[in-house]
Every structure is written in structure tokens, then in C-alpha cells.
Amino acid sequence: MPGMTRERVVIGTRKTTARIAGSEVKSIRRSDVLQTGLRLYDGRNIGTAGAIGSFDPAELEKRALDSISCGIEYPWEIQGPAVRRETVSLKGIGHDTLAGEAGSFMAAMRSKWPDLVFSESFTVEDTGISIRNDRGLDLSTVLSSVAVVLTYRALGSTGIIDGWVSAGPCRRWDPDGIRAEFDEFLEAWHEPVDLPRSGRLPVVFGESSLPLNRLSLELSGHRYGTGTSLLAGCVGEKVFSEGFSLSQSRVPSIDDCSFFDAEGVFHEGYSLGLIGGGVLRAVCTDRRTAARFSLPHTGSASGGYDTIPQASADHLRVERSDRTLSELLGGEPAVYIALASGGDFTPEGAFATPVQLAMLHDGTRFVGRLPELRISSHLFRMFGDDWMGQSADDISAFYDSPSMVMRMDVEKAGD
Amino acid sequence: MLNFPRGLYSDVRIEEVWSTSAGLVLGKLEQFVSRHYRAAFIRVWDGVRWYYASTSSVDSIQSELDSLAAMASPAEDILDDPVVRRLGCATGRSILFDAGHVAGVETSDKLAKLRSSAEPLERRAGLADSRCYYIDNNKRKTFLSSLGADLEFDRQTVLLVAAFEVAHGESRLREKCHVGAGTFADLPDLVPVLEERLDEAASFVRDSRPVDGGRMPVVLSPMAAGIFAHESFGHKSEADFMLGDESMLAEWAMGRRVGSEELNIVDDGTVSGPGYNAYDDEGTPSRRTWLVRDGLLAGRLHSASTAAALGEEPTGNARSISFEYEPIPRMTTTFILPGRETFDGLVSGIDDGLFVKTVNHGSGLSTFTLAPSMSYRIRGGRLAEPVGVSVITGDVMETLGLIDGLSGELDLRGAGGGGCGKMEQYPLPVGFGGPFVRVGAMEVR
């Protein structure tokens, strides 16, 4: 069709999962799913259609054409010519060997921890993501990984979950090393310790945690543009600690995602700085959000194989400092947040949450299990005056896992 | 015609899905997705381990079945296996939505309904942000098993959802509301619901002050009571978390008192709405399961596997979110049954307390939490000023025992497009709700 640009998004996922229940492998699941999306652009509007599995190309095109008539505007330039592929491979395990490896791993866990009941999964996954259009864009990422997630309950416990250990996504399978890390954590978990004192204490979060999730919302270009972000109007201003820098990162081997966004945009180094030295540099936009609010386009579109791309502040990475967790803490004991459910930020940025599982950490190792806690602070204090830094080292040797350290108000639940 | 392998139990679930999702952002259409696909999930059980495959190629079902069978160890006495003995061989067809199927509604009608429903958002001054969505989904399942089960059944939901943010000075409030039905023709009018919610949110954000917290009596709205029942008790009723722990079974022994005599909690997959299913995903008919009856523990939610492990019977709660996942014990529509009081009667008995009207989210581990959105103080037996509450929390069992009043009405609804999450399987459509519920004391912050 003259004047029409076609773009095809294909996501193929092959996954094998060994499901654990009662500390044993109880099932093996394989899945093989192919998703194909077609986008049509007529210069004014966009239309999309998708298929799962095999499909009739003519029928897919007809549905995408029908979709254009809905009138979803897309008058912007389509991503131009570029050809690039990135592949991240997995060593030491595959789909066919996962069940046996998981069985051996769990036999050792049962032997070492007979007082715990483990659940959840071991997963090997291969994902291929590609975007191609007739402007010459041809980008693809292939990711392979293994991941272990084990939740546990102590025999006699009345809770659904008492804690969890995990590793992944990993690019190499080292069961002895992973089990040694799990053992270290679980040994500490078996040692109840008291909170050194109530009040302001160093608190350690992983990156997939409530604080960074909330910051992600505030960095949304849509929220910034509508004035509903707590950071609205602050681009160019110092909003957080000088020691706090943040990027949107799409490095496939680290961030386990494609190096390009849903509109086919990528940056050299696959990373774009959003906050540098505490100064807000940019908020996350796709083409639509950038145009609507006259903001710089950051290549931050996300979406499914058949959806219209939308801006998203995902894949955020805090820049590592040059200090280890031990150096950041300077000898002070820290509260490591392992499980915190039910808390939230208020619309004004105040934060409070119950902590169902917290561990005492001395900077080099887990010392023991703390009682249930409550922690509280405010977004601007957490990443501002109370920010202590992002560790140079990782909590786990098997995947990217730096620690965010900040001072917060900590008290025992029930006090 | 499938050839089921000998010496094994096996079943196949084929899902055919039609869905539409359209979204207005700040009054402009920014999302439209229309899907139709067929895909399958295949299971094989050898008496020791389950083997699963999901495929987006329905032509490969037989080869997937054969491949799984090759991994399994056939057993001549598989029909005597406790799991297999709990799996049915029902045949039948329960298609409710041949008439009123969402695929038969023109896209232009869906978009017109979306636009007219969003009009209050465009008319209203002072909204910082607004979104409105039309979402429909029809899922038709064919279930075949080596025992001879041959079922075809469907479910369908149509939803209109509005979300907005209002601001007054430094105060802000995000709220949402929705209406839903089984068919497009039955969809209620969102406009009056949205107008009312916009009015209330505007006055709430203008007048509310942070609550002076503490331990106090609380009246929960049906929505808040539903989230409480789901998060605090429903998940603990899913039998898979009890496997491998005798002491847990003793703790959750049937007949144990967990609440006052007035307290009844059920899970019911036969109730129309997001939790409805004629059969679960291993062919067991849906039913009402009493979780708490007259304050005593009365049941739990099972798949065939968990029922066999605990020596009980399946309850029709083996559910999966899609063809990519195996069925596991999940809730359907879970709610506290109504009592005899009125809302005014519940409030009038409180000198100094709190009414929780809407809730952002809840959780239910060892302690439960509810994060209210709009709440009001109760003073001298009447509703008083609006207050901002960060969290309501308490011990699950203790709080169930403190329920001392239930209103007579029953208001059931869904999450408005979201659903329930359990590890990797999110979102699963579920229903929740209940009457207005008075709790003698809860920790309010």
C-alpha cells in the first residue's frame, strides 16, 4: 500500500520451568510461544494487529488496516535504518538438563534444611525480541538465562511465606556457588537478633524495591507533563543527593531486556542518564509523550507485541559508587529489607511500610534475622540527605545485584 | 481426535480468546488492541510428577502430548492413583455467551461507548490527569482428558474503567471507578458512577487532613471488606501452601474457631462476574465452598493434587491465568456473607472510629494491611470529616475474631481490569466484596 510504513515486532519465548512444592520437583513445564505484531503507519495514524502462533499475513494486515481507522494519531517520524543484533548466552545448563539439576539442588537443600519447606521454581528461558520495518530498521536481542526462586516456610509456621532466596537471571549455572549463597542467608535467618536500636538506621534495598519503583513513577514523562509528578518542573534542578545518579539502562546482559525500546530507539552504550549528581536531567518519554508535552525524546517506549507503544520509566539503574557496601556502612550495622509487603508512598511522597522479613547485615555478611519492623521516610529524604550510596559490590556473585543504602526511621512492629 | 498415552493420566485445555482493550488518555485515544487467538495447555501425570507443555500452535497438541509422555513413567494402575481418582470425566457444554459475544459488537460501538463514558472527565475542571478504558474478554475453553472428560465452556466480561487525579494545593488523590457486565448490552452507565466519584474526590482532597491514628473501631465498605477477606484469609485457604507440613494442617484443622459466630466466608465460582467459571481448568465443576461457617474453619480451596495430598476433595479452584500456565489452587469470588444490621446501625454504635470507603491495595502475610484511599472519621455515631490514612494493619486471626457487625446487603465486584497475583501468575480475574463490616479494633495510621 503506497505511503504506508510496515513494522513487525516478533517476540519468541521458549521456557522450561521445574516447579518446586514441598521441597521437591513436582512438575516440569515447557512453553514455546511465538507472538507477532504488525504496525502500519500512514503518516497520520497508527494501526496494529497481532497473532499468537501461526497466522495468515493477509488477515493480519487487514486487521492492522482496520485498526488505523480507529484514529490513533502517530504523525511522528518512524525509526530509520539501523541493523544490530545482541546475543546473551547461557552456559552450564539447558532446557533438557534443568529437571535433573533442579532435583539435585533440592535434594541438597532438603538435607541441609529439613526444618524448611521450599516452594517455587527453577527456570531456563530463551527470549528473542525483534523489530523490523521497511525503513531499514532491523534490530534483535536474544537472551538466555537461568533463574532460581525459592520461597520457604518453617515447619509449624502459620504464614504463607517466611522468606525467600533467589539467584538470577544468571548467565552461568553454578549450583554449588548459588547453594552456598543460599546457605549463608538461611544460616543467618535461623539466628534471631534484636534491632540494635530504634531510630534512624542504615537500610539496604535491592534495586527491585518499593523506593525505586516509586521513583520510576515520578520519572514518567506523562506525569511530569501533567504536573502530577513530585518532580514536575524540576528538570535542570538539583533534587537529590550529589551522590545519586540514575540511568535508564537497556544493557541486555545486565538488565535482561532488549537494547532498543518499543519504537526501535536505542542509545550508544544502551543507557541514558536521567539523574546525574542529584540533578534531574530528563524524564522518560516516547515520541507521543515528548510531542504532547514538548519534552526531549528519551527512547523510553514500552509495550507488548501488538500494543501501541507508551512511555515507561522502566529498567532504571542507580549508578554504582566507588565504595563497597562495607565502606558505605563504615562499621555501622544495617537493616537489609528482604520482604516488605503492604506499604506505600503517599501522593505527597511520604513513605511507610511494614517489613515482614529484615536481616541484620554488617557490610560483608548477613548476621541474623531481625523482628518484624516498620520503616518510614520521604522520597526526597531517601534519595536526598539520607542517601548513603549505591554499593560497588554485589549481594550475589551470580547476577547484577548492587545495594541501595539510605538512612531511614526504623522501629519494631508493635512498639 | 487425540490419542492419549497409555498408563498415564493426561488432559488438554484449548483456549480460544477474543479481547479488546481501548484507552483514552487525557481525552485522546491512545490505545486499541483487538486479539483473537487459540492456544493450548497439555498435562501428563504419571503418579509421581506432572509434565506440562503450553503451545501457541494448536496443530502440535498431539506431538506435545507424545513428547510429555516420553518424559513420564507409565503406570498400569494409574486409574487408582489418588489424584486421578479425584479428576472427573464429565462431558457437556456450558456456553453462555453465543448471544452477546463481544466479537459480534462493532469496534465503532465500543469506541463510542468509551468516549461517551469519559465525558465527565473532559467536562470536569481541575483534573490533573485522566484515563478511561474499555476492556472486553471472551474466553472459550475446550477440555479433553484421558478419562473421557469432554467439556466446552466460556466466560466473558465487559468493563469500563475511569481513573483520574485531583489536586488541591499540595494535596492530591488518585481514584478510579468501574462498571462491568457479562455482555456489552448489559453494561451499566459509567457516567453517574464517575460523576459521583469525581464529586467526592474533589471534596475529599480539599477537606481531608491526616488521621490522628491509633487503635479504633473500623467500619469497612463492601470493597474494603472484600479486599480484607481476599488478602487476609482467602490466600491462606489455598491448600497448596499447606503441603508437606503436618503442623500447618493441625493449625488449620477443620472446626477450629477463627471468628465470631456471625462470621461466614465463602468462595463461590458459580457467581456471575470476574470469578465465574462453569468448570475449573482441570474439569471440576465450580461450586460454593464454605471457608468459615458460623465462625468455625469449614473448608479450603483445592486442585485435585492438593485434595489428594490432604485426603480431601477437589473444590473447582484449580485455575490458571492463561494457556501458558498450569492450574493451581486460586480463589474465584470470595466474600463475607451478609448479616442483619444496616450501615447506619453499624456506624451508630461507634463513638470514635473510622469508615474506610475505598482502598488502593491490601496485603495479607502474617499481618494484613489495607492502604485506604478515601476514609472518614466516625464521631458520636455519625460519619464526620474525611481523613487521609496511610495504612490499616493487624493480626489476621485476631481481627477476624473482632468482627462484631455485618450489614444486610451484599455488594460483589471485581478489581476493574486487574486481578489477583500469586507468584508468576498475575492477573487472575476474581470477584470480591461483601457487606459493610464492623471490626471492634484495628490499628490505624
Side-chain angles (χ1 to χ4, degrees):
Chain A
M1 204 161 287
M4 196 80 80
T5 301
R6 283 171 187 73
E7 190 164 74
R8 185 168 283 195
V9 176
V10 179
I11 302 173
T13 308
R14 184 179 176 221
K15 186 154 66 173
T16 302
T17 301
R19 176 73 53 197
I20 309 303
S23 301
E24 295 181 357
V25 178
K26 287 290 170 66
S27 66
I28 304 296
R29 184 182 71 208
R30 300 184 324 213
S31 70
D32 197 347
V33 178
L34 182 68
Q35 299 168 315
T36 306
L38 177 66
R39 299 176 188 158
L40 295 180
Y41 304 90
D42 67 2
R44 288 184 302 127
N45 294 328
I46 181 174
T48 68
I52 293 180
S54 58
F55 61 93
D56 174 355
E59 193 257 344
L60 193 67
E61 180 136 339
K62 179 183 178 306
R63 286 174 45 219
L65 268 174
D66 290 344
S67 168
I68 281 193
S69 65
C70 292
I72 299 178
E73 294 176 6
Y74 201 99
W76 307 290
E77 188 69 16
I78 314 303
Q79 196 65 14
V83 178
R84 189 176 294 198
R85 302 196 195 309
E86 292 285 355
T87 299
V88 179
S89 55
L90 169 65
K91 293 186 174 70
I93 195 169
H95 295 270
D96 295 338
T97 54
L98 176 72
E101 292 288 338
S104 302
F105 195 103
M106 291 313 301
M109 293 296 282
R110 282 195 304 276
S111 170
K112 173 88 178 176
W113 305 109
D115 61 326
L116 301 179
V117 182
F118 293 96
S119 302
E120 263 320 295
S121 62
F122 293 66
T123 302
V124 167
E125 183 168 358
D126 302 316
T127 304
I129 309 161
S130 68
I131 183 168
R132 296 185 175 88
N133 68 27
D134 44 21
R135 299 273 174 97
L137 186 72
D138 184 353
L139 309 177
S140 61
T141 303
V142 177
L143 301 163
S144 297
S145 64
V146 60
V148 185
V149 179
L150 295 176
T151 62
Y152 60 87
R153 289 179 36 249
L155 288 173
S157 165
T158 55
I160 296 174
I161 298 175
D162 287 332
W164 62 290
V165 287
S166 72
C170 306
R171 310 302 173 188
R172 66 186 169 89
W173 177 237
D174 176 358
D176 294 339
I178 292 171
R179 210 163 39 241
E181 280 193 356
F182 288 2
D183 286 348
E184 183 198 332
F185 182 92
L186 293 170
E187 277 162 13
W189 184 85
H190 280 81
E191 293 293 330
V193 294
D194 208 355
L195 190 64
R197 58 180 169 79
S198 289
R200 288 164 50 74
L201 288 168
V203 174
V204 180
F205 289 94
E207 287 195 305
S208 298
S209 56
L210 278 166
L212 213 54
N213 291 346
R214 177 62 187 214
L215 195 51
S216 162
L217 282 179
E218 304 305 336
L219 289 167
S220 146
H222 179 86
R223 287 176 77 116
Y224 190 91
T226 56
T228 57
S229 165
L230 291 169
L231 301 174
C234 292
V235 167
E237 294 182 15
K238 185 168 180 300
V239 289
F240 295 128
S241 162
E242 278 180 15
F244 183 72
S245 296
L246 182 81
S247 300
Q248 188 168 42
S249 175
R250 291 186 161 276
V251 180
S253 60
I254 296 174
D255 302 296
D256 203 41
C257 66
S258 65
F259 64 87
F260 48 90
D261 78 346
E263 293 181 314
V265 178
F266 64 91
H267 305 285
E268 289 307 322
Y270 307 144
S271 181
L272 179 77
L274 300 172
I275 296 169
V279 177
L280 181 62
R281 302 286 186 206
V283 291
C284 295
T285 59
D286 61 347
R287 289 195 170 89
R288 183 183 308 278
T289 312
R292 169 178 270 162
F293 299 112
S294 300
L295 292 167
H297 175 216
T298 59
S300 305
S302 67
Y305 66 101
D306 61 348
T307 60
I308 310 289
Q310 291 187 310
S312 174
D314 52 5
H315 304 298
L316 297 184
R317 280 273 158 196
V318 182
E319 188 177 297
R320 292 176 190 249
S321 69
D322 56 2
R323 292 185 293 169
T324 64
L325 179 57
S326 175
E327 290 166 340
L328 288 171
L329 294 176
E332 219 179 336
V335 175
Y336 178 89
I337 308 300
L339 185 60
S341 173
D344 209 344
F345 285 82
T346 67
E348 293 78 24
F351 173 69
T353 186
V355 181
Q356 288 79 15
L357 177 57
M359 303 290 287
L360 195 66
H361 201 286
D362 70 2
T364 58
R365 67 183 184 93
F366 293 105
V367 176
R369 182 178 84 240
L370 290 161
E372 288 200 26
L373 303 174
R374 286 199 305 262
I375 56 173
S376 59
S377 186
H378 190 283
L379 185 77
F380 286 109
R381 288 211 309 273
M382 294 159 79
F383 295 108
D385 289 346
D386 291 343
W387 175 252
M388 297 174 68
Q390 177 89 333
S391 68
D393 52 343
D394 290 306
I395 284 284
S396 168
F398 299 99
Y399 64 107
D400 198 73
S401 52
S403 303
M404 295 195 299
V405 192
M406 56 190 76
R407 212 169 278 281
M408 298 180 76
D409 292 321
V410 182
E411 59 181 348
K412 275 198 260 188
D415 277 0
Chain B
M1 192 69 180
L2 292 170
N3 290 315
F4 290 106
R6 292 175 57 83
L8 300 166
Y9 167 82
S10 46
D11 63 39
V12 174
R13 183 178 86 240
I14 302 167
E15 299 188 353
E16 183 160 20
V17 177
W18 293 261
S19 68
T20 307
S21 174
L24 296 171
V25 179
L26 297 172
K28 284 194 140 186
L29 187 68
E30 287 198 0
Q31 195 60 256
F32 179 81
V33 186
S34 175
R35 289 180 178 152
H36 175 215
Y37 64 86
R38 292 179 81 215
F41 192 85
I42 302 121
R43 307 194 305 172
V44 168
W45 169 247
D46 62 5
V48 177
R49 189 177 276 184
W50 283 102
Y51 300 88
Y52 307 130
S54 71
T55 177
S56 55
S57 171
V58 291
D59 297 335
S60 67
I61 290 173
Q62 185 65 58
S63 62
E64 291 284 359
L65 196 52
D66 295 342
S67 170
L68 293 181
M71 296 164 68
S73 305
E76 283 307 315
D77 56 353
I78 192 67
L79 293 177
D80 296 328
D81 177 84
V83 174
V84 178
R85 283 197 280 112
R86 286 168 170 81
L87 290 162
C89 55
T91 61
R93 192 169 186 270
S94 177
I95 300 298
L96 304 183
F97 298 103
D98 266 344
H101 196 296
V102 291
V105 181
E106 293 292 332
T107 297
S108 56
D109 291 337
K110 296 177 182 178
L111 294 179
K113 174 74 84 176
L114 171 64
R115 290 197 167 96
S116 64
S117 300
E119 280 175 6
L121 296 171
E122 299 192 30
R123 286 198 300 267
R124 186 71 55 137
L127 288 187
D129 196 5
S130 71
R131 293 167 189 260
C132 196
Y133 298 96
Y134 169 88
I135 303 163
D136 67 34
N137 183 286
N138 178 296
K139 187 176 283 190
R140 181 174 295 206
K141 298 179 185 180
T142 302
F143 182 84
L144 306 164
S145 83
S146 56
L147 298 180
D150 186 348
L151 299 167
E152 190 178 15
F153 51 100
D154 67 350
R155 61 187 309 280
Q156 179 171 293
T157 52
V158 185
L159 280 174
L160 283 164
V161 184
F164 56 88
E165 179 162 338
V166 287
H168 180 79
E170 295 296 306
S171 298
R172 354 146 144 246
L173 179 70
R174 276 190 179 261
E175 264 292 332
K176 68 175 184 176
C177 57
H178 72 274
V179 293
T183 66
F184 184 82
D186 292 336
L187 201 51
D189 188 358
L190 177 67
V191 170
V193 178
L194 178 54
E195 293 276 21
E196 185 182 334
R197 188 59 59 88
L198 284 164
D199 288 343
E200 185 172 4
S203 60
F204 186 91
V205 77
R206 186 184 62 233
D207 300 333
S208 70
R209 299 287 178 273
V211 71
D212 184 14
R215 194 167 168 82
M216 62 182 74
V218 174
V219 174
L220 302 173
S221 68
M223 173 202 188
I227 293 173
F228 169 71
H230 175 103
E231 296 291 351
S232 68
F233 196 80
H235 278 299
K236 292 182 174 64
S237 299
E238 294 166 339
D240 47 351
F241 93 100
M242 297 179 192
L243 298 182
D245 187 353
E246 294 295 325
S247 55
M248 175 63 83
L249 282 172
E251 177 75 19
W252 284 75
M254 293 298 124
R256 181 194 160 188
R257 178 158 294 283
V258 293
S260 66
E261 287 186 5
E262 202 180 353
L263 182 64
N264 294 286
I265 305 178
V266 298
D267 180 271
D268 193 337
T270 68
V271 173
S272 297
Y276 168 80
N277 289 285
Y279 300 88
D280 72 3
D281 288 330
E282 51 188 16
T284 303
S286 289
R287 68 178 209 189
R288 170 172 285 198
T289 300
W290 291 82
L291 303 178
V292 177
R293 195 165 204 163
D294 301 329
L296 305 177
L297 199 60
R300 44 188 153 241
L301 306 178
H302 279 301
S303 64
S305 291
T306 61
L310 301 188
E312 298 176 359
E313 292 305 313
T315 56
N317 289 89
R319 303 183 66 196
S320 63
I321 58 167
S322 77
F323 74 95
E324 293 183 69
Y325 298 94
E326 68 273 26
I328 57 175
R330 303 295 297 266
M331 285 173 266
T332 57
T333 298
T334 312
F335 52 99
I336 298 172
L337 289 178
R340 296 198 183 112
E341 298 196 48
T342 63
F343 172 69
D344 289 343
L346 293 176
V347 171
S348 69
I350 297 175
D351 186 49
D352 182 15
L354 185 79
F355 169 53
V356 178
K357 184 163 187 181
T358 61
V359 174
N360 286 325
H361 57 79
S363 72
L365 292 171
S366 50
T367 56
F368 74 88
T369 64
L370 290 175
S373 178
M374 291 198 287
S375 301
Y376 296 84
R377 282 307 293 261
I378 300 171
R379 297 186 192 278
R382 294 169 179 271
L383 287 188
E385 75 275 12
V387 287
V389 177
S390 295
V391 67
I392 295 176
T393 186
D395 176 82
V396 171
M397 292 305 183
E398 181 192 353
T399 303
L400 286 170
L402 292 172
I403 291 175
D404 62 5
L406 304 166
S407 72
E409 62 268 77
L410 179 63
D411 182 4
L412 300 179
R413 54 186 65 200
C420 171
K422 186 170 178 179
M423 298 311 289
E424 63 178 348
Q425 293 206 45
Y426 170 85
L428 183 75
V430 293
F432 53 79
F436 290 96
V437 174
R438 185 175 62 208
V439 184
M442 295 173 105
E443 189 66 35
V444 176
R445 290 195 201 98

